[in-house]
Every structure is written in structure tokens, then in C-alpha cells.
């Protein structure tokens, strides 16, 4: 995986702007520590930072090929897991290759099939192709939105990058954040295309955007659609097992060390078991990594999201598959370190308030990067198979909003908004915003004829998670991993699996009376019994009161800055009450609020945005 950036300007000579294109790419040096390059033509500049994973000596970018009419160039981030099959097919059509990289396969695929090459790709990717023959740019993002991709239209073209910071490095970009951009920081609905910064947007998943002298035109090449499911229970389980086995085998391909992220839950344990099984055929031992907090296992207290600590189940899986396992143990001082917070917010470009869950993920990935360059993650299995607790909570399912906001947790609804400065809270009109987003999201769902009321509702809920909720988590995982140059792959986002399970009736998804029935039964042959029976537990969060104390101290330091722009955004009185409270008695929502305040303060320090909130 890599970082890409670029600039198209039909009224300028960009051959003179190498320094600017280079600066845009350099903002993402952490995404690509192994190489860099720039491609310039009069109206296009492409920049690239490379993390070498496939064909280490031969996959340098930007990559270009000549044609009888002119050059075609690509900057590419991600992996095409079926590149070997596509390469063979292209060779059969007369193409010759100069490298063994998947990037060249995509580039020559475009030469052969034009933009319809996207329909043939299986993978995670964000790439841009400049076709000098037509002076045309194509921007393409994978189906699920695994790889980030942002763009900003200009009067005579476009700026683009893997991350907003690449665009912000161009003098044409502004650092304005208005109320429309700020709402999503507090709403947690993942509005399609949202990018926080005014004038900037995401390339939507499953989309090709064409830029030429006639303007900017998007085209959707993939979306979730209803299809008849004809397999019975046994055939459905077999098909899920078959798909997962193939997916894991494809995603283990790399020319660098790889590992699996192991939490002791069903999702990561299934991947670990399948990876161990595949690697054993080649005489290899699977590597696994987990994260835990000092004293967490001994002092664990069940809450509304977690019944059990992770580590006992992690040990069961490691013993069961014989993995080379390491647990990364973190303490409150590491989690609350301001330098770590700056690294996290600098990676995300946005203050989204996940606090220790972001910091711990960053620290986990930093530790893993000392040993591996590629990691497989169980991310998105809950969205695909219906694993979250609110999938099975009657109140959340019946509510007229996003289920994750209706469920009784620290992230629910109004509790996230108490921290906002009261006047700003009124101007943001967050209840109306969330309601509008929910109505828009529900309207996108296509339903087959004859659905029962339950199946109709659960198809809607699954669609909300696969087009909204999961995109938040995928972005988080990409930013935290690429901040340390680690490529994280997400097998459960393979579009073949997503399409198949999405169209499996809810009754089949829960046929054993539990969450994720299909996954549990499809993977039980590689799981210890303890994990096969474990109830869903999300990514861990520290319960150490020392972390709450550290948060209070950090916010106290902010409170002495009486003229800070921070208090144009946040309620000083709420923060004062929160820092004076007994840290051992802080509610989960108050701790989340303190974390969010620190994120926002750090973001203001790093980016100095121009706030336009009236």
C-alpha cells in the first residue's frame, strides 16, 4: 500500500510545479517509506509514496507506458488479489510485462479494457490514471471503501490524494471548516462523501470519477443489490467456508513478512485458523499479535459491550493453531501521551473522538511493524454477518435512527453532543442532521418483492452497516496502520463474500439462535471450542482509572487557555465539571467526551483550520 497525490490543471503548465506535487506526496511519507516519484505532463502531475509489498525491486511508481499516441500513467495504492489471473489473461491477449507488480497489471488492464478494468478487480485500491491521449484523469476507489481517496475540484481541474493532508499541501486548497463539515464530527453517521474540509470530498466506494476539459463526472460501478438466495443451510455454510478459504489464501500473498491481528473473538480467530492451515502447507508458522492493557485481565469488569477480557481467548487460539504470538501490553501513560495523540490526529486529519481505541490501535500497529509489513484483520465481519449487539437488540432495531446510535452505549445519540458549546449545538441542529442522514441511507436500500417484515428490516440494517458504519472503521484502520507503514488487509470485505452474505436471509444468518451463525459454523473446524462459543466482544478499551485521571489532567491544561478557539466549539462549563469529577466514577459517555475534547484541541493545534460556523 502507498500514498497517492495529484493535480490536474487545464489552464496551467504543471511541468513547472514539480515542487508542489512532490510536497503533496511528501505529506504521506509514512504511507510509503520505501520509495517516491513524480510524473509530470503539461496539465497533470502525479505523486507517489511507496510501501513495497509485491515485487520489491520492480514496482516503482508513478508507472507509465507509452502508446503510439501518447503516455498513460498510474499512481496506485492497495492490492489486486487476483492480479496473477489478470496478468495471465493479458499475456494471452498479447501484453508483455516489465515488472511482477499488480500495479502494472492494473495499468495494462486499462490499456486493454479501458475503465471497465475496475469490474475485473478483486482487492482494495485507490488509484488514478492519467491518459495523455485524451488529457483525461480517472480516479477509482474499491467497492467497500477500504482504501481512502479524497478530491477537491478547482476552477480548471482537480486536486486529489489518499488523505486530506495531501490536498491541503497545495496552495489552491483552503483550510476552511464550516458547519456542514463539522456536523459529522459529532454525528457518527458517516455521510457519503464527507471529508470535513470545505470544498473537499471522498471518492465514494465503488465509484469511477472522470476528469477532463468538460468537467468532473462520477459513475458508480458497484453497489449492494438484492439477489435471490437459493442455498439451504448446509450449502450456505459450505459456500462461506469455501469463499473464506480462497480469500485468506489470496490475501496471504506478499513478498514481505505477514501476520494476523488476533483478538480472541470469532472473526480474527477464524482468519488465524485459516491462515495457519494455509501456511502450514508451506512449512510456515503463522504470526499473531494482540493488544491488551496492564491489569485489564485481572481487574476486568463486564460492561454493556464486553462480557469477558480478550487475553484468555487469545491464548486458547494461539495454542490451538500453534502461532508465534506476541501480546502488546499498554499502560495509561502510553495511551494518554500527547505525542501519540498528535500522531493519531495527524494520521486521521480529523478529530473523531475514539480516544484510547485509536491510540492503542496506533501503538499496536507500531509494535507490529517492527516484525511484519502486512497484517490480516477481522474488521467488517460484524457488519457482514450481523455480529454487533444492536443487531439483536429489539429497542435499537425498532428505533427510527441508526442502530448504533440507538443502542445504550457511550457512543449513543445525545450523549456525544453534551460537550458542544451550547450556541454552536443549536446552530448545528444535530438531531435534524442525523434524521436526514438516516432517511437518506434507508432510501438507498433496494428490496426484493415478497420480503417479510423482519427480513425487510434486517436487510435495511445490514445495508446501513455495510455502507455507513463499516466505512468509519475501515478509514480508522487504514489511517492508523499506514501511519507506521503497515499494510492491513481485510478479508471479510471481499466483495464476493459481502454480496453472498448480504443476500442470505436473516433467518439463516442466525439459524443457531446466535449472532454470526454462518461464520461460526463455517470456521468451527479451525477454532477452539471456547472461541466458537464466545459472545461478541468489540475492540478493547482500557478500564484503568489511571487513564481517566490522565484525560482530566490534559483537559485541565486546556482550560487555562481562556481565549482558545477550542471554546468556540466546546462547552467550557461541561469540561470544568468533567475534570473535577471523581475519575473512578466517570461515566463512559463523560470519558468519551474528555477524549473527544483532547482530539479536537490537538486537531486545532496541528491544522489551524479557519472555522466558519455561523
Amino acid at each position: 500500500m502507498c500514498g497517492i497525490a495529484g493535480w490536474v490543471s487545464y489552464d496551467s503548465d504543471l511541468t513547472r510545479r514539480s515542487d508542489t506535487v512532490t510536497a503533496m506526496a511528501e505529506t504521506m511519507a509514512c504511507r510509503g517509506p520505501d520509495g517516491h516519484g513524480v510524473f509530470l505532463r503539461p496539465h497533470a502531475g502525479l505523486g507517489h509514496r511507496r510501501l513495497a509489498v509485491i515485487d520489491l525491486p520492480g514496482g516503482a511508481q508513478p508507472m507509465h507506458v507509452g502508446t503510439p499516441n501518447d503516455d498513460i500513467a498510474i499512481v496506485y495504492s492497495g492490492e489486486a488479489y487476483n492480479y496473477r489471473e489478470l496478468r495471465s489473461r493479458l499475456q494471452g491477449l498479447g501484453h508483455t510485462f516489465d515488472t511482477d507488480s499488480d500495479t502494472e497489471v492494473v495499468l495494462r488492464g486499462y490499456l486493454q479494457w479501458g475503465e471497465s478494468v475496475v469490474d475485473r478487480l478483486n482487492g482494495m485500491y485507490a488509484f488514478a490514471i492519467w491518459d495523455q491521449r485524451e488529457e483525461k484523469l480517472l480516479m477509482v476507489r474499491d467497492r467497500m471503501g477500504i482504501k481512502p481517496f479524497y478530491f477537491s475540484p478547482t476552477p480548471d481541474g482537480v486536486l486529489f490524494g489518499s488523505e486530506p493532508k495531501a490536498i491541503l499541501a497545495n496552495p489552491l486548497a483552503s483550510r476552511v471548516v464550516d458547519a456542514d463539515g463539522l456536523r459529522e464530527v459529532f454525528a457518527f453517521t458517516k455521510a457519503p462523501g464527507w471529508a470535513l474540509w470545505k470544498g473537499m470530498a471522498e471518492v465514494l466506494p465503488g465509484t469511477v470519477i472522470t476528469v477532463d476539459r468538460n468537467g468532473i463526472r462520477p459513475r458508480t460501478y458497484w453497489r449492494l443489490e438484492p439477489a435471490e438466495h437459493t442455498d439451504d443451510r448446509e450449502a450456505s455454510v459450505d459456500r462461506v467456508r469455501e469463499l473464506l478459504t480462497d480469500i485468506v489464501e489470496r490475501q496471504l500473498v506478499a513478498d514481505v513478512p505477514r501476520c494476523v491481528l488476533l483478538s480472541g473473538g470469532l472473526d480474527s480467530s477464524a482468519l488465524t485458523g485459516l491462515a495457519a492451515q494455509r501456511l502450514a502447507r508451506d512449512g510456515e508458522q503463522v504470526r499473531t499479535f494482540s493488544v491488551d492493557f496492564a491489569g485489564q485481565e485481572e481487574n476486568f469488569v463486564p460492561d454493556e459491550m464486553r462480557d469477558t477480557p480478550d487475553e484468555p481467548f487469545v491464548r486458547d487460539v494461539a495454542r490451538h493453531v500453534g502461532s508465534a504470538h506476541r501480546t502488546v501490553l499498554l499502560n495509561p501513560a502510553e495511551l494518554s501521551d500527547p505525542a501519540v495523540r498528535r500522531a493519531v490526529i495527524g494520521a486521521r486529519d480529523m478529530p473523531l473522538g475514539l480516544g484510547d481505541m485509536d491510540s492503542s490501535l496506533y501503538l499496536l500497529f507500531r509494535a507490529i511493524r517492527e516484525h511484519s509489513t502486512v497484517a490480516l484483520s477481522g474488521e467488517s465481519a460484524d457488519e457482514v454477518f450481523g455480529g454487533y449487539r444492536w443487531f439483536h437488540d429489539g429497542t435499537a432495531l425498532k428505533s427510527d435512527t441508526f442502530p448504533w446510535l440507538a443502542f445504550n452505549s457511550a457512543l449513543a445519540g445525545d450523549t456525544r453532543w453534551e460537550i458542544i458549546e451550547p450556541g454552536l449545538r443549536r446552530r448545528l441542529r444535530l438531531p435534524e442532521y442525523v434524521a436526514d442522514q438516516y432517511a437518506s441511507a434507508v432510501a438507498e436500500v433496494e428490496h426484493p418483492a415478497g420480503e417479510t417484515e423482519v427480513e425487510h428490516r434486517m436487510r435495511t440494517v445490514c445495508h446501513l452497516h455495510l455502507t455507513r458504519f463499516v466505512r468509519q472503521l475501515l478509514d480508522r484502520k487504514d489511517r492508523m496502520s499506514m501511519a507506521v507503514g503497515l499494510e492491513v488487509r481485510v478479508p471479510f470485505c471481499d466483495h464476493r463474500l459481502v454480496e453472498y452474505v448480504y443476500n442470505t436471509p436473516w433467518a439463516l444468518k442466525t439459524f443457531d439462535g446466535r449472532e454470526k451463525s454462518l461464520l461460526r459454523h463455517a470456521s468451527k473446524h479451525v477454532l477452539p471450542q471456547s472461541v466458537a462459543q464466545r459472545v461478541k466482544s468489540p475492540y478493547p478499551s482500557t478500564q484503568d482509572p489511571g487513564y481517566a485521571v490522565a484525560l482530566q489532567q490534559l483537559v485541565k491544561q486546556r482550560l487555562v487557555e481562556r481565549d482558545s478557539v477550542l471554546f468556540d466549539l466546546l462547552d467550557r462549563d461541561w469540561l470544568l465539571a468533567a475534570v473535577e469529577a471523581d475519575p473512578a466514577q466517570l461515566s463512559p459517555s463523560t470519558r468519551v467526551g474528555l477524549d473527544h475534547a483532547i482530539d479536537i484541541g490537538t486537531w486545532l493545534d496541528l491544522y489551524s483550520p479557519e472555522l466558519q460556523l455561523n
Side-chain angles (χ1 to χ4, degrees):
M1 284 202 285
C2 309
I4 66 173
W7 182 7
V8 170
S9 173
Y10 291 105
D11 294 340
S12 303
D13 181 0
L14 295 184
T15 60
R16 302 169 181 264
R17 302 305 299 271
S18 175
D19 56 340
T20 300
V21 177
T22 298
M24 293 171 70
E26 286 301 303
T27 64
M28 302 177 294
C30 59
R31 294 186 73 92
D34 300 324
H36 59 90
V38 169
F39 172 90
L40 296 172
R41 289 297 181 269
H43 301 304
L46 309 180
H48 189 265
R49 292 291 314 200
R50 186 186 184 207
L51 175 65
V53 172
I54 299 288
D55 187 13
L56 307 191
Q61 297 186 50
M63 186 177 291
H64 67 279
V65 294
T67 75
N69 297 318
D70 222 318
D71 289 346
I72 301 172
I74 187 172
V75 282
Y76 177 89
S77 171
E79 305 292 344
Y81 301 123
N82 63 336
Y83 81 98
R84 289 173 171 170
E85 298 99 304
L86 291 176
R87 179 188 176 96
S88 294
R89 184 166 184 186
L90 287 164
Q91 286 173 325
L93 293 168
H95 290 264
T96 59
F97 287 81
D98 300 317
T99 74
D100 293 322
S101 69
D102 59 333
T103 303
E104 187 178 5
V105 171
V106 176
L107 180 56
R108 294 192 180 277
Y110 172 76
L111 278 174
Q112 179 66 38
W113 298 302
E115 70 174 60
S116 65
V117 65
V118 300
D119 300 316
R120 303 169 187 267
L121 298 176
N122 175 307
M124 56 178 187
Y125 45 81
F127 62 87
I129 293 176
W130 175 252
D131 191 334
Q132 184 65 27
R133 300 172 302 182
E134 302 177 52
E135 293 190 324
K136 176 179 72 174
L137 179 78
L138 292 183
M139 297 184 288
V140 180
R141 193 173 182 199
D142 66 66
R143 296 170 178 84
M144 291 294 291
I146 305 167
K147 302 309 300 171
F149 202 173
Y150 295 84
F151 72 103
S152 180
T154 64
D156 70 331
V158 72
L159 307 172
F160 68 84
S162 293
E163 298 178 359
K165 61 175 64 68
I167 295 171
L168 295 174
N170 190 293
L172 295 179
S174 70
R175 291 178 176 252
V176 172
V177 174
D178 61 12
D180 288 338
L182 193 62
R183 286 187 182 95
E184 190 60 39
V185 170
F186 300 103
F188 215 57
T189 71
K190 196 59 173 84
W194 177 76
L196 178 61
W197 305 93
K198 187 176 182 180
M200 194 183 299
E202 280 189 306
V203 176
L204 292 177
T207 299
V208 177
I209 295 179
T210 301
V211 181
D212 58 23
R213 291 182 181 275
N214 295 317
I216 298 176
R217 301 180 303 281
R219 177 182 71 84
T220 300
Y221 70 89
W222 184 86
R223 62 166 55 90
L224 284 171
E225 296 177 330
E228 184 181 7
H229 186 88
T230 58
D231 291 341
D232 62 15
R233 178 191 300 181
E234 183 178 358
S236 297
V237 170
D238 288 345
R239 180 56 179 158
V240 169
R241 183 185 301 116
E242 174 187 310
L243 282 168
L244 281 174
T245 302
D246 177 70
I247 291 163
V248 169
E249 178 162 358
R250 288 176 182 274
Q251 297 198 20
L252 284 171
V253 174
D255 295 331
V256 292
R258 59 262 200 257
C259 67
V260 182
L261 307 178
L262 177 60
S263 71
L266 175 62
D267 317 333
S268 66
S269 301
L271 295 183
T272 298
L274 291 169
Q277 191 176 67
R278 173 62 188 88
L279 293 174
R281 284 163 37 195
D282 296 331
E284 290 187 58
Q285 181 184 28
V286 66
R287 298 183 185 189
T288 53
F289 291 86
S290 64
V291 65
D292 199 13
F293 309 104
Q296 182 100 331
E297 183 176 349
E298 298 84 356
N299 302 302
F300 181 82
V301 177
D303 58 27
E304 72 276 3
M305 298 291 285
R306 302 167 182 87
D307 293 334
T308 53
D310 287 344
E311 279 303 301
F313 299 94
V314 168
R315 290 192 293 270
D316 285 352
V317 175
R319 281 194 297 265
H320 187 75
V321 304
S323 72
H325 181 75
R326 180 186 173 197
T327 296
V328 177
L329 197 65
L330 303 175
N331 60 51
E334 293 171 295
L335 293 171
S336 59
D337 183 351
V340 171
R341 186 76 61 145
R342 286 192 295 272
V344 167
I345 299 302
R348 298 202 74 174
D349 298 314
M350 304 169 185
L352 296 177
L354 292 181
D356 70 296
M357 290 191 289
D358 275 354
S359 298
S360 64
L361 193 63
Y362 171 83
L363 291 167
L364 169 65
F365 289 158
R366 190 172 72 179
I368 291 174
R369 187 62 176 86
E370 297 176 6
H371 307 276
S372 295
T373 308
V374 169
L376 270 61
S377 165
E379 195 78 85
S380 81
D382 288 302
E383 291 81 3
V384 172
F385 290 97
Y388 291 115
R389 295 193 177 196
W390 48 78
F391 273 95
H392 310 274
D393 181 87
T395 300
L397 291 177
K398 292 175 184 176
S399 65
D400 195 23
T401 190
F402 297 99
W404 56 89
L405 298 181
F407 188 71
N408 181 28
S409 76
L411 297 180
D414 295 353
T415 60
R416 289 177 60 84
W417 305 339
E418 295 172 353
I419 192 176
I420 306 171
E421 192 278 325
L424 176 61
R425 192 187 316 159
R426 288 190 293 272
R427 293 195 300 277
L428 290 180
R429 299 169 59 102
L430 289 169
E432 294 91 336
Y433 173 79
V434 171
D436 288 346
Q437 287 298 322
Y438 179 71
S440 174
V442 169
E444 292 178 3
V445 187
E446 297 180 53
H447 291 276
E451 271 188 329
T452 66
E453 182 179 348
V454 170
E455 291 293 343
H456 187 280
R457 178 56 180 163
M458 296 314 298
R459 179 179 291 273
T460 297
V461 169
C462 290
H463 194 281
L464 293 175
H465 283 78
L466 291 168
T467 59
R468 295 286 187 124
F469 193 78
V470 77
R471 293 179 186 176
Q472 303 178 78
L473 302 184
L474 291 172
D475 184 77
R476 167 179 175 258
K477 186 143 286 181
D478 174 271
R479 303 297 192 87
M480 294 301 97
S481 61
M482 294 306 293
V484 297
L486 176 71
E487 174 172 297
V488 173
R489 300 176 177 179
V490 279
F492 291 110
C493 277
D494 185 293
H495 70 279
R496 298 170 298 161
L497 180 68
V498 172
E499 290 170 347
Y500 183 79
V501 179
Y502 176 67
N503 284 297
T504 302
W506 183 248
L508 263 181
K509 290 189 178 85
T510 55
F511 69 77
D512 61 359
R514 296 192 54 188
E515 78 285 356
K516 296 187 284 195
S517 306
L518 288 173
L519 177 58
R520 179 174 292 103
H521 286 262
S523 60
K524 64 182 180 180
H525 64 297
V526 295
L527 296 174
Q529 186 64 20
S530 61
V531 172
Q533 297 305 317
R534 189 185 183 193
V535 174
K536 164 66 187 173
S537 185
Y539 183 84
S541 178
T542 181
Q543 296 182 338
D544 193 325
Y547 181 69
V549 172
L551 292 181
Q552 289 177 316
Q553 292 304 313
L554 290 169
V555 173
K556 281 181 181 179
Q557 294 170 22
R558 290 285 180 179
L559 285 167
V560 302
E561 305 168 10
R562 299 202 61 84
D563 296 327
S564 172
V565 69
L566 177 66
F567 303 111
D568 293 340
L569 302 177
L570 304 183
D571 185 348
R572 179 189 289 274
D573 291 337
W574 187 95
L575 292 172
L576 281 167
V579 300
E580 295 301 329
D582 180 351
Q585 301 300 318
L586 283 185
S587 68
S589 61
T590 299
R591 205 188 80 167
V592 167
L594 288 171
D595 252 327
H596 207 175
I598 297 167
D599 276 3
I600 291 171
T602 303
W603 171 72
L604 291 170
D605 293 342
L606 290 175
Y607 289 89
S608 301
E610 179 186 344
L611 300 177
Q612 297 180 355
L613 303 178
N614 293 322

